[in-house]
Amino acid sequence: EIPRRDWVVMRRLARKFVTILFGAGGLNKSSFTMQEAVGVALGRCLNGEPFSVKQSGRVWIYNNEDPIDELRRRLAAICINWNIAPDELQPRLFLDSGLDRRLIVMKQEHRVAVATPDADALAAEIQRNGIDLLIVDPFIRVHQVDENDNPAIDAVIEQFSRIASRCNCCISLVHHGRK
């Protein structure tokens, strides 16, 4: 009677859950997640096993670090490499750069982590656009809490978990170990 996990990407991304891709800088985490995003948007696996796409869906990449032109370059490179016509991705893939408008879901006030208005706005936008997978890159740039404060970081992750559950989507956070 227990329902199975609702996998979007097998053994990696399930609806109502947050996943963190963690590693040192320069290991292509951002490229991996963008390629994965294209795979979900198209409903087919580009990264190969064991991460097979189980469902197609609408994907939103919110990159708080790179300019939108760089994100478009990376997306174009993926399309060229995999012989994908860019119009195949419309309207299933959304790109935003935090350099145009930074996303901050939590901040620290008087040593307590509190949600910002961006948290509710993010959830509303996910619901409005029917987003199935949200990729946030890098994690450190979407909060303003002390990363050495375990309860504060836990509150940030909990905020993303609430959004994933409320919006019935997967959230993938990209975290650089040295930032």
Side-chain angles (χ1 to χ4, degrees), residues 97-156:
S97 169
L99 298 183
D100 297 327
R101 191 206 175 284
R102 188 155 176 203
L103 174 68
I104 304 287
V105 298
M106 298 285 284
K107 63 183 178 177
Q108 207 150 5
E109 291 182 356
H110 309 291
R111 303 175 86 174
V112 176
V114 295
T116 69
D118 281 359
D120 284 336
L122 179 66
E125 195 69 10
I126 289 169
Q127 290 174 321
R128 188 173 76 74
N129 288 302
I131 300 297
D132 300 289
L133 167 60
L134 170 67
I135 297 170
V136 177
D137 185 6
F139 173 65
I140 193 169
R141 294 228 177 155
V142 294
H143 65 80
Q144 293 175 333
V145 305
D146 180 358
E147 287 219 333
N148 293 313
D149 182 340
N150 286 338
I153 288 297
D154 183 56
V156 177

Short mmCIF file of all heavy atoms in Angstrom, two decimals, residues 97-156:
data_model
loop_
_atom_site.label_atom_id
_atom_site.label_comp_id
_atom_site.label_asym_id
_atom_site.label_seq_id
_atom_site.Cartn_x
_atom_site.Cartn_y
_atom_site.Cartn_z
N SER A 97 19.31 33.79 -14.89
CA SER A 97 20.60 34.10 -14.29
C SER A 97 20.38 34.99 -13.08
O SER A 97 19.67 36.00 -13.16
CB SER A 97 21.49 34.83 -15.29
OG SER A 97 22.63 35.35 -14.63
N GLY A 98 21.02 34.62 -11.98
CA GLY A 98 20.97 35.44 -10.79
C GLY A 98 21.71 36.74 -10.94
O GLY A 98 21.60 37.63 -10.10
N LEU A 99 22.49 36.87 -12.01
CA LEU A 99 23.15 38.14 -12.27
C LEU A 99 22.14 39.17 -12.76
O LEU A 99 22.35 40.37 -12.64
CB LEU A 99 24.29 37.98 -13.27
CG LEU A 99 25.42 37.05 -12.81
CD1 LEU A 99 26.53 37.02 -13.84
CD2 LEU A 99 25.96 37.46 -11.45
N ASP A 100 21.01 38.69 -13.33
CA ASP A 100 19.93 39.59 -13.73
C ASP A 100 19.01 39.88 -12.54
O ASP A 100 18.55 40.99 -12.35
CB ASP A 100 19.11 38.98 -14.87
CG ASP A 100 19.94 38.79 -16.12
OD1 ASP A 100 20.85 39.61 -16.36
OD2 ASP A 100 19.70 37.80 -16.84
N ARG A 101 18.72 38.83 -11.77
CA ARG A 101 17.93 38.97 -10.55
C ARG A 101 18.30 37.82 -9.62
O ARG A 101 17.98 36.66 -9.88
CB ARG A 101 16.43 38.93 -10.83
CG ARG A 101 15.63 39.34 -9.60
CD ARG A 101 14.24 38.74 -9.58
NE ARG A 101 13.53 39.03 -8.37
CZ ARG A 101 13.75 38.44 -7.18
NH1 ARG A 101 14.69 37.54 -7.05
NH2 ARG A 101 13.04 38.74 -6.12
N ARG A 102 19.01 38.15 -8.57
CA ARG A 102 19.49 37.13 -7.65
C ARG A 102 18.34 36.53 -6.86
O ARG A 102 17.43 37.23 -6.42
CB ARG A 102 20.52 37.74 -6.69
CG ARG A 102 21.17 36.66 -5.86
CD ARG A 102 22.52 37.06 -5.38
NE ARG A 102 23.06 36.03 -4.50
CZ ARG A 102 23.99 36.25 -3.61
NH1 ARG A 102 24.49 37.46 -3.48
NH2 ARG A 102 24.43 35.29 -2.86
N LEU A 103 18.39 35.22 -6.70
CA LEU A 103 17.41 34.47 -5.92
C LEU A 103 18.00 34.20 -4.54
O LEU A 103 19.06 33.60 -4.42
CB LEU A 103 17.10 33.14 -6.63
CG LEU A 103 16.21 32.15 -5.91
CD1 LEU A 103 14.79 32.70 -5.79
CD2 LEU A 103 16.21 30.81 -6.62
N ILE A 104 17.32 34.65 -3.49
CA ILE A 104 17.73 34.42 -2.10
C ILE A 104 16.50 33.89 -1.36
O ILE A 104 15.53 34.63 -1.17
CB ILE A 104 18.22 35.71 -1.41
CG1 ILE A 104 19.35 36.38 -2.17
CG2 ILE A 104 18.59 35.44 0.05
CD1 ILE A 104 20.67 35.67 -2.08
N VAL A 105 16.53 32.63 -0.93
CA VAL A 105 15.35 32.06 -0.26
C VAL A 105 15.40 32.16 1.26
O VAL A 105 14.36 32.08 1.91
CB VAL A 105 15.10 30.60 -0.69
CG1 VAL A 105 14.82 30.50 -2.18
CG2 VAL A 105 16.24 29.71 -0.29
N MET A 106 16.60 32.32 1.83
CA MET A 106 16.73 32.41 3.29
C MET A 106 17.82 33.42 3.64
O MET A 106 18.80 33.56 2.90
CB MET A 106 17.11 31.06 3.90
CG MET A 106 16.13 29.93 3.71
SD MET A 106 14.66 30.02 4.72
CE MET A 106 15.28 29.53 6.31
N LYS A 107 17.63 34.06 4.77
CA LYS A 107 18.66 34.96 5.29
C LYS A 107 18.70 34.78 6.81
O LYS A 107 17.79 34.19 7.41
CB LYS A 107 18.39 36.41 4.91
CG LYS A 107 17.11 36.97 5.48
CD LYS A 107 16.87 38.37 5.00
CE LYS A 107 15.55 38.88 5.55
NZ LYS A 107 15.29 40.26 5.18
N GLN A 108 19.75 35.27 7.39
CA GLN A 108 19.92 35.13 8.83
C GLN A 108 19.62 36.47 9.50
O GLN A 108 20.18 37.50 9.11
CB GLN A 108 21.34 34.68 9.16
CG GLN A 108 21.43 33.93 10.44
CD GLN A 108 22.56 32.90 10.41
OE1 GLN A 108 23.33 32.81 9.46
NE2 GLN A 108 22.65 32.11 11.45
N GLU A 109 18.71 36.45 10.46
CA GLU A 109 18.38 37.64 11.24
C GLU A 109 18.50 37.28 12.71
O GLU A 109 17.81 36.37 13.18
CB GLU A 109 16.96 38.12 10.94
CG GLU A 109 16.79 38.70 9.55
CD GLU A 109 15.37 39.21 9.30
OE1 GLU A 109 14.49 39.03 10.16
OE2 GLU A 109 15.16 39.75 8.21
N HIS A 110 19.35 37.99 13.40
CA HIS A 110 19.54 37.75 14.84
C HIS A 110 19.84 36.28 15.13
O HIS A 110 19.23 35.66 15.99
CB HIS A 110 18.32 38.22 15.64
CG HIS A 110 17.92 39.62 15.32
ND1 HIS A 110 18.67 40.72 15.65
CD2 HIS A 110 16.85 40.10 14.62
CE1 HIS A 110 18.07 41.81 15.21
NE2 HIS A 110 16.98 41.46 14.58
N ARG A 111 20.73 35.71 14.30
CA ARG A 111 21.20 34.32 14.45
C ARG A 111 20.13 33.27 14.18
O ARG A 111 20.26 32.11 14.56
CB ARG A 111 21.82 34.13 15.83
CG ARG A 111 22.95 35.11 16.08
CD ARG A 111 23.47 35.02 17.45
NE ARG A 111 24.47 33.96 17.48
CZ ARG A 111 25.20 33.71 18.53
NH1 ARG A 111 25.05 34.39 19.63
NH2 ARG A 111 26.10 32.75 18.50
N VAL A 112 19.06 33.67 13.51
CA VAL A 112 17.98 32.75 13.14
C VAL A 112 17.77 32.82 11.63
O VAL A 112 17.71 33.92 11.06
CB VAL A 112 16.67 33.11 13.87
CG1 VAL A 112 15.53 32.22 13.42
CG2 VAL A 112 16.85 33.03 15.38
N ALA A 113 17.64 31.68 10.98
CA ALA A 113 17.38 31.63 9.54
C ALA A 113 15.89 31.88 9.29
O ALA A 113 15.04 31.24 9.92
CB ALA A 113 17.78 30.28 8.97
N VAL A 114 15.60 32.83 8.41
CA VAL A 114 14.21 33.14 8.08
C VAL A 114 14.04 33.15 6.57
O VAL A 114 14.95 33.52 5.82
CB VAL A 114 13.77 34.51 8.67
CG1 VAL A 114 13.77 34.48 10.19
CG2 VAL A 114 14.63 35.63 8.16
N ALA A 115 12.87 32.75 6.13
CA ALA A 115 12.56 32.75 4.70
C ALA A 115 12.42 34.18 4.20
O ALA A 115 11.94 35.05 4.92
CB ALA A 115 11.28 31.96 4.44
N THR A 116 12.83 34.39 2.97
CA THR A 116 12.65 35.69 2.32
C THR A 116 11.40 35.62 1.46
O THR A 116 10.86 34.53 1.20
CB THR A 116 13.86 36.03 1.42
OG1 THR A 116 13.84 35.13 0.30
CG2 THR A 116 15.17 35.93 2.17
N PRO A 117 10.93 36.75 0.96
CA PRO A 117 9.78 36.72 0.03
C PRO A 117 10.07 35.90 -1.23
O PRO A 117 9.14 35.38 -1.86
CB PRO A 117 9.56 38.20 -0.31
CG PRO A 117 10.10 38.94 0.87
CD PRO A 117 11.28 38.12 1.34
N ASP A 118 11.35 35.74 -1.58
CA ASP A 118 11.71 34.93 -2.75
C ASP A 118 11.25 33.48 -2.61
O ASP A 118 10.98 32.82 -3.62
CB ASP A 118 13.22 34.95 -3.00
CG ASP A 118 13.69 36.22 -3.69
OD1 ASP A 118 12.86 37.09 -4.01
OD2 ASP A 118 14.92 36.32 -3.93
N ALA A 119 11.20 32.96 -1.39
CA ALA A 119 10.81 31.56 -1.20
C ALA A 119 9.39 31.31 -1.69
O ALA A 119 9.14 30.38 -2.48
CB ALA A 119 10.96 31.15 0.26
N ASP A 120 8.45 32.15 -1.27
CA ASP A 120 7.06 32.00 -1.73
C ASP A 120 6.93 32.34 -3.21
O ASP A 120 6.17 31.69 -3.94
CB ASP A 120 6.12 32.87 -0.91
CG ASP A 120 5.83 32.28 0.47
OD1 ASP A 120 5.96 31.04 0.63
OD2 ASP A 120 5.49 33.06 1.37
N ALA A 121 7.67 33.33 -3.67
CA ALA A 121 7.63 33.70 -5.09
C ALA A 121 8.16 32.56 -5.96
O ALA A 121 7.62 32.29 -7.04
CB ALA A 121 8.42 34.99 -5.33
N LEU A 122 9.20 31.89 -5.49
CA LEU A 122 9.76 30.75 -6.21
C LEU A 122 8.72 29.64 -6.34
O LEU A 122 8.49 29.10 -7.43
CB LEU A 122 11.01 30.24 -5.50
CG LEU A 122 11.71 29.03 -6.12
CD1 LEU A 122 12.30 29.38 -7.49
CD2 LEU A 122 12.80 28.53 -5.18
N ALA A 123 8.07 29.31 -5.23
CA ALA A 123 7.04 28.26 -5.26
C ALA A 123 5.89 28.65 -6.19
O ALA A 123 5.41 27.82 -6.97
CB ALA A 123 6.53 28.00 -3.84
N ALA A 124 5.47 29.90 -6.14
CA ALA A 124 4.38 30.35 -7.00
C ALA A 124 4.76 30.25 -8.48
O ALA A 124 3.96 29.83 -9.31
CB ALA A 124 4.00 31.80 -6.65
N GLU A 125 6.01 30.60 -8.79
CA GLU A 125 6.47 30.53 -10.19
C GLU A 125 6.58 29.07 -10.66
O GLU A 125 6.25 28.75 -11.81
CB GLU A 125 7.81 31.25 -10.31
CG GLU A 125 8.22 31.57 -11.71
CD GLU A 125 7.38 32.63 -12.39
OE1 GLU A 125 6.55 33.30 -11.74
OE2 GLU A 125 7.53 32.78 -13.61
N ILE A 126 7.02 28.18 -9.78
CA ILE A 126 7.08 26.75 -10.11
C ILE A 126 5.69 26.25 -10.44
O ILE A 126 5.48 25.56 -11.44
CB ILE A 126 7.71 25.95 -8.95
CG1 ILE A 126 9.21 26.25 -8.84
CG2 ILE A 126 7.46 24.45 -9.11
CD1 ILE A 126 9.85 25.72 -7.56
N GLN A 127 4.73 26.60 -9.60
CA GLN A 127 3.35 26.15 -9.84
C GLN A 127 2.75 26.79 -11.09
O GLN A 127 2.09 26.11 -11.87
CB GLN A 127 2.49 26.45 -8.61
CG GLN A 127 2.86 25.55 -7.44
CD GLN A 127 2.13 25.91 -6.16
OE1 GLN A 127 1.92 27.07 -5.85
NE2 GLN A 127 1.77 24.88 -5.40
N ARG A 128 2.99 28.08 -11.27
CA ARG A 128 2.43 28.79 -12.43
C ARG A 128 2.92 28.20 -13.75
O ARG A 128 2.17 28.08 -14.72
CB ARG A 128 2.79 30.26 -12.35
CG ARG A 128 2.10 31.12 -13.40
CD ARG A 128 2.37 32.60 -13.18
NE ARG A 128 3.69 33.02 -13.59
CZ ARG A 128 4.10 33.17 -14.84
NH1 ARG A 128 3.28 32.89 -15.83
NH2 ARG A 128 5.31 33.58 -15.12
N ASN A 129 4.19 27.80 -13.80
CA ASN A 129 4.78 27.27 -15.03
C ASN A 129 4.78 25.74 -15.10
O ASN A 129 5.30 25.18 -16.05
CB ASN A 129 6.21 27.79 -15.19
CG ASN A 129 6.24 29.25 -15.56
OD1 ASN A 129 5.67 29.65 -16.57
ND2 ASN A 129 6.86 30.06 -14.72
N GLY A 130 4.23 25.07 -14.10
CA GLY A 130 4.18 23.61 -14.12
C GLY A 130 5.57 22.98 -14.14
O GLY A 130 5.80 22.00 -14.84
N ILE A 131 6.49 23.54 -13.36
CA ILE A 131 7.87 23.06 -13.34
C ILE A 131 7.94 21.70 -12.64
O ILE A 131 7.43 21.53 -11.55
CB ILE A 131 8.81 24.08 -12.65
CG1 ILE A 131 8.78 25.42 -13.38
CG2 ILE A 131 10.22 23.53 -12.50
CD1 ILE A 131 9.29 25.39 -14.81
N ASP A 132 8.60 20.75 -13.30
CA ASP A 132 8.79 19.41 -12.74
C ASP A 132 10.15 19.27 -12.06
O ASP A 132 10.31 18.48 -11.14
CB ASP A 132 8.66 18.36 -13.85
CG ASP A 132 7.29 18.42 -14.48
OD1 ASP A 132 6.32 18.01 -13.82
OD2 ASP A 132 7.17 18.89 -15.63
N LEU A 133 11.14 20.01 -12.56
CA LEU A 133 12.50 19.95 -12.03
C LEU A 133 13.06 21.36 -11.96
O LEU A 133 13.09 22.06 -12.97
CB LEU A 133 13.39 19.08 -12.92
CG LEU A 133 14.91 19.14 -12.69
CD1 LEU A 133 15.29 18.72 -11.28
CD2 LEU A 133 15.63 18.28 -13.72
N LEU A 134 13.49 21.75 -10.76
CA LEU A 134 14.18 23.02 -10.56
C LEU A 134 15.63 22.71 -10.23
O LEU A 134 15.91 21.93 -9.33
CB LEU A 134 13.56 23.81 -9.39
CG LEU A 134 14.34 25.05 -8.93
CD1 LEU A 134 14.34 26.13 -10.02
CD2 LEU A 134 13.78 25.57 -7.62
N ILE A 135 16.54 23.33 -10.98
CA ILE A 135 17.97 23.19 -10.71
C ILE A 135 18.47 24.54 -10.22
O ILE A 135 18.29 25.56 -10.91
CB ILE A 135 18.74 22.75 -11.97
CG1 ILE A 135 18.27 21.37 -12.41
CG2 ILE A 135 20.25 22.76 -11.71
CD1 ILE A 135 18.77 20.93 -13.77
N VAL A 136 19.06 24.56 -9.04
CA VAL A 136 19.58 25.78 -8.43
C VAL A 136 21.10 25.64 -8.34
O VAL A 136 21.60 24.69 -7.73
CB VAL A 136 18.97 26.00 -7.03
CG1 VAL A 136 19.56 27.22 -6.38
CG2 VAL A 136 17.45 26.10 -7.12
N ASP A 137 21.81 26.60 -8.95
CA ASP A 137 23.27 26.48 -9.08
C ASP A 137 23.90 27.86 -8.90
O ASP A 137 23.55 28.78 -9.64
CB ASP A 137 23.57 25.93 -10.47
CG ASP A 137 25.03 25.63 -10.73
OD1 ASP A 137 25.84 25.73 -9.79
OD2 ASP A 137 25.35 25.28 -11.88
N PRO A 138 24.82 28.02 -7.96
CA PRO A 138 25.21 27.13 -6.87
C PRO A 138 24.38 27.40 -5.61
O PRO A 138 23.85 28.49 -5.42
CB PRO A 138 26.67 27.51 -6.63
CG PRO A 138 26.73 28.97 -6.94
CD PRO A 138 25.73 29.17 -8.06
N PHE A 139 24.31 26.41 -4.77
CA PHE A 139 23.53 26.47 -3.53
C PHE A 139 23.95 27.64 -2.64
O PHE A 139 23.10 28.33 -2.07
CB PHE A 139 23.68 25.14 -2.78
CG PHE A 139 23.06 25.13 -1.41
CD1 PHE A 139 21.70 25.27 -1.25
CD2 PHE A 139 23.85 25.00 -0.29
CE1 PHE A 139 21.12 25.27 0.01
CE2 PHE A 139 23.29 24.99 0.98
CZ PHE A 139 21.93 25.13 1.13
N ILE A 140 25.23 27.88 -2.52
CA ILE A 140 25.73 28.92 -1.61
C ILE A 140 25.17 30.31 -1.94
O ILE A 140 25.04 31.16 -1.08
CB ILE A 140 27.27 28.96 -1.58
CG1 ILE A 140 27.75 29.82 -0.41
CG2 ILE A 140 27.83 29.46 -2.91
CD1 ILE A 140 29.22 29.71 -0.13
N ARG A 141 24.78 30.53 -3.17
CA ARG A 141 24.32 31.85 -3.58
C ARG A 141 22.81 32.06 -3.43
O ARG A 141 22.30 33.11 -3.81
CB ARG A 141 24.73 32.12 -5.02
CG ARG A 141 26.23 32.22 -5.18
CD ARG A 141 26.58 33.41 -5.97
NE ARG A 141 28.03 33.54 -6.07
CZ ARG A 141 28.61 34.17 -7.05
NH1 ARG A 141 27.90 34.68 -8.03
NH2 ARG A 141 29.91 34.29 -7.07
N VAL A 142 22.08 31.08 -2.92
CA VAL A 142 20.63 31.25 -2.76
C VAL A 142 20.23 31.43 -1.29
O VAL A 142 19.05 31.40 -0.96
CB VAL A 142 19.82 30.11 -3.40
CG1 VAL A 142 19.98 30.12 -4.90
CG2 VAL A 142 20.15 28.78 -2.80
N HIS A 143 21.20 31.60 -0.45
CA HIS A 143 20.90 31.89 0.95
C HIS A 143 21.94 32.85 1.49
O HIS A 143 23.00 33.03 0.91
CB HIS A 143 20.86 30.60 1.78
CG HIS A 143 22.18 29.91 1.89
ND1 HIS A 143 23.17 30.31 2.77
CD2 HIS A 143 22.70 28.85 1.21
CE1 HIS A 143 24.21 29.51 2.64
NE2 HIS A 143 23.96 28.63 1.69
N GLN A 144 21.60 33.45 2.61
CA GLN A 144 22.52 34.35 3.29
C GLN A 144 22.61 33.95 4.76
O GLN A 144 22.38 34.76 5.66
CB GLN A 144 22.07 35.80 3.14
CG GLN A 144 22.17 36.28 1.71
CD GLN A 144 21.62 37.67 1.49
OE1 GLN A 144 20.75 38.14 2.22
NE2 GLN A 144 22.11 38.33 0.46
N VAL A 145 22.89 32.67 4.98
CA VAL A 145 23.09 32.17 6.34
C VAL A 145 24.52 31.66 6.44
O VAL A 145 25.17 31.38 5.44
CB VAL A 145 22.08 31.06 6.72
CG1 VAL A 145 20.64 31.54 6.53
CG2 VAL A 145 22.31 29.78 5.96
N ASP A 146 25.00 31.54 7.66
CA ASP A 146 26.34 31.05 7.91
C ASP A 146 26.41 29.57 7.58
O ASP A 146 25.69 28.77 8.18
CB ASP A 146 26.69 31.30 9.38
CG ASP A 146 28.07 30.82 9.78
OD1 ASP A 146 28.79 30.25 8.92
OD2 ASP A 146 28.43 31.02 10.95
N GLU A 147 27.26 29.20 6.63
CA GLU A 147 27.35 27.80 6.22
C GLU A 147 27.94 26.90 7.30
O GLU A 147 27.87 25.69 7.20
CB GLU A 147 28.15 27.67 4.93
CG GLU A 147 27.37 28.17 3.74
CD GLU A 147 27.55 27.33 2.51
OE1 GLU A 147 28.60 26.68 2.34
OE2 GLU A 147 26.62 27.30 1.71
N ASN A 148 28.53 27.48 8.34
CA ASN A 148 29.05 26.70 9.46
C ASN A 148 28.02 26.55 10.57
O ASN A 148 28.31 25.95 11.60
CB ASN A 148 30.33 27.34 10.01
CG ASN A 148 31.44 27.26 8.99
OD1 ASN A 148 31.68 26.21 8.41
ND2 ASN A 148 32.11 28.37 8.75
N ASP A 149 26.84 27.09 10.37
CA ASP A 149 25.75 27.00 11.34
C ASP A 149 24.80 25.90 10.88
O ASP A 149 23.95 26.12 10.01
CB ASP A 149 25.06 28.36 11.42
CG ASP A 149 23.93 28.42 12.44
OD1 ASP A 149 23.42 27.36 12.84
OD2 ASP A 149 23.56 29.54 12.81
N ASN A 150 24.98 24.71 11.43
CA ASN A 150 24.19 23.56 10.97
C ASN A 150 22.68 23.77 11.04
O ASN A 150 21.97 23.44 10.09
CB ASN A 150 24.59 22.29 11.74
CG ASN A 150 25.93 21.77 11.29
OD1 ASN A 150 26.40 22.06 10.20
ND2 ASN A 150 26.57 20.99 12.15
N PRO A 151 22.14 24.32 12.13
CA PRO A 151 20.68 24.56 12.15
C PRO A 151 20.23 25.54 11.05
O PRO A 151 19.16 25.37 10.47
CB PRO A 151 20.42 25.13 13.54
CG PRO A 151 21.54 24.60 14.39
CD PRO A 151 22.73 24.56 13.46
N ALA A 152 21.05 26.54 10.75
CA ALA A 152 20.68 27.50 9.71
C ALA A 152 20.67 26.84 8.33
O ALA A 152 19.74 27.02 7.55
CB ALA A 152 21.63 28.70 9.72
N ILE A 153 21.70 26.06 8.04
CA ILE A 153 21.76 25.35 6.75
C ILE A 153 20.63 24.33 6.66
O ILE A 153 20.00 24.17 5.61
CB ILE A 153 23.14 24.69 6.54
CG1 ILE A 153 24.18 25.78 6.26
CG2 ILE A 153 23.12 23.68 5.42
CD1 ILE A 153 23.95 26.58 4.99
N ASP A 154 20.34 23.67 7.76
CA ASP A 154 19.21 22.73 7.79
C ASP A 154 17.91 23.46 7.46
O ASP A 154 17.06 22.93 6.74
CB ASP A 154 19.13 22.05 9.16
CG ASP A 154 18.02 21.02 9.21
OD1 ASP A 154 18.02 20.10 8.36
OD2 ASP A 154 17.14 21.14 10.09
N ALA A 155 17.75 24.67 7.96
CA ALA A 155 16.54 25.44 7.67
C ALA A 155 16.44 25.79 6.18
O ALA A 155 15.35 25.78 5.61
CB ALA A 155 16.52 26.72 8.51
N VAL A 156 17.58 26.07 5.55
CA VAL A 156 17.57 26.36 4.11
C VAL A 156 17.13 25.11 3.33
O VAL A 156 16.27 25.19 2.46
CB VAL A 156 18.95 26.85 3.63
CG1 VAL A 156 18.95 27.07 2.11
CG2 VAL A 156 19.37 28.13 4.35
#
